[in-house]
């Protein structure tokens, strides 16, 4: 839908995937001349204040985190009624895709588990609970595993256990 268009200074190159809240595109940041991933909130969801708030929560949750095994947030944008996140562009495949090809050798599985646990530990130390950990939300890159998609994340004060909810975030 957005391929060939621009969102601000970002030139949309190709569709990478789609999910419950929108689509993810490969784009070129024309200011810094680098590849980025653009996560666009679906236009029909952008009309719903609750979904816009959820999208904003995702941005705020990711912005609190800096870890080698968590996909970095570069920017948040709004252009012509399109809400989007600008994320680190990652080359590789999801853990789900890798698992579909067959068993992962034990030594590699342990390395991946340690990397994912390190990312989760970092998030929890910053008061962010991912809440959607699954193979499709882990990207395998040349430099290791990267945790993606904090769309269902719950933030609480740093150091809080995050286990007690006073109101639901999802229906």
């Amino acid at each position: 839908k957005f391929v060939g268009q621009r969102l601000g200074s970002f030139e949309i190159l190709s569709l990478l995937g789609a999910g419950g809240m929108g689509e993810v595109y490969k784009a070129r940041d024309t200011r810094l001349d680098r590849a980025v991933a653009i996560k666009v909130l679906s236009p029909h969801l952008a009309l719903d204040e609750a979904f816009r708030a959820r999208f904003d929560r995702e941005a705020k949750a990711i912005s609190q985190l800096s870890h080698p095994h968590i996909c970095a947030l570069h920017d948040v944008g709004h252009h012509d009624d399109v809400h989007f996140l600008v994320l680190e562009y990652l080359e590789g495949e999801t853990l789900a895709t890798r698992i579909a090809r067959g068993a992962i050798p034990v030594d590699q599985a342990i390395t991946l588990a340690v990397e994912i646990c390190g990312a989760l530990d970092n998030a929890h130390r910053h008061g962010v609970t991912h809440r959607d950990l699954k193979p499709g939300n882990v990207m395998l890159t040349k430099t290791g595993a990267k945790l993606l998609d904090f769309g269902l994340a719950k933030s609480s004060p740093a150091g809080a256990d995050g286990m007690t909810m006073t109101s639901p975030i999802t229906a």
Side-chain angles (χ1 to χ4, degrees):
K1 178 179 178 179
F2 292 100
V3 175
Q5 297 182 30
R6 287 178 71 120
L7 294 176
S9 62
F10 303 98
E11 181 180 282
I12 308 300
L13 303 174
S14 62
L15 179 67
L16 295 174
M21 287 189 60
E23 299 168 327
V24 180
Y25 296 89
K26 180 178 181 181
R28 188 174 74 82
D29 180 340
T30 61
R31 291 174 301 180
L32 299 174
D33 194 28
R34 66 175 172 178
V36 294
I38 303 281
K39 183 174 185 176
V40 176
L41 181 62
S42 292
H44 69 281
L45 295 179
L47 299 173
D48 185 322
E49 189 174 325
F51 278 100
R52 281 195 321 273
R54 182 172 156 186
F55 201 68
D56 291 342
R57 271 196 311 274
E58 177 177 9
K60 287 176 184 173
I62 301 170
S63 74
Q64 303 302 308
L65 307 175
S66 177
H67 189 273
H69 298 293
I70 296 175
C71 183
L73 175 71
H74 294 312
D75 201 357
V76 177
H78 181 256
H79 180 81
D80 292 339
D81 295 324
V82 177
H83 299 265
F84 61 93
L85 305 180
V86 182
L87 301 157
E88 171 184 15
Y89 174 71
L90 301 171
E91 290 190 34
E93 65 182 348
T94 66
L95 180 55
T97 301
R98 173 58 189 88
I99 289 170
R101 286 200 328 267
I104 297 173
V106 173
D107 60 331
Q108 290 177 17
I110 290 171
T111 299
L112 293 173
V114 168
E115 292 171 353
I116 294 165
C117 287
L120 291 170
D121 179 60
N122 179 270
H124 293 174
R125 289 177 188 271
H126 287 89
V128 177
T129 305
H130 189 279
R131 297 182 352 128
D132 195 19
L133 183 61
K134 60 187 179 187
N137 285 340
V138 176
M139 181 67 83
L140 304 180
T141 71
K142 291 179 184 175
T143 59
K146 290 270 193 169
L147 189 55
L148 313 171
D149 197 349
F150 281 75
L152 296 179
K154 179 183 183 298
S155 295
S156 57
D161 68 10
M163 300 308 283
T164 304
M165 289 182 55
T166 56
S167 64
I169 284 183
T170 59

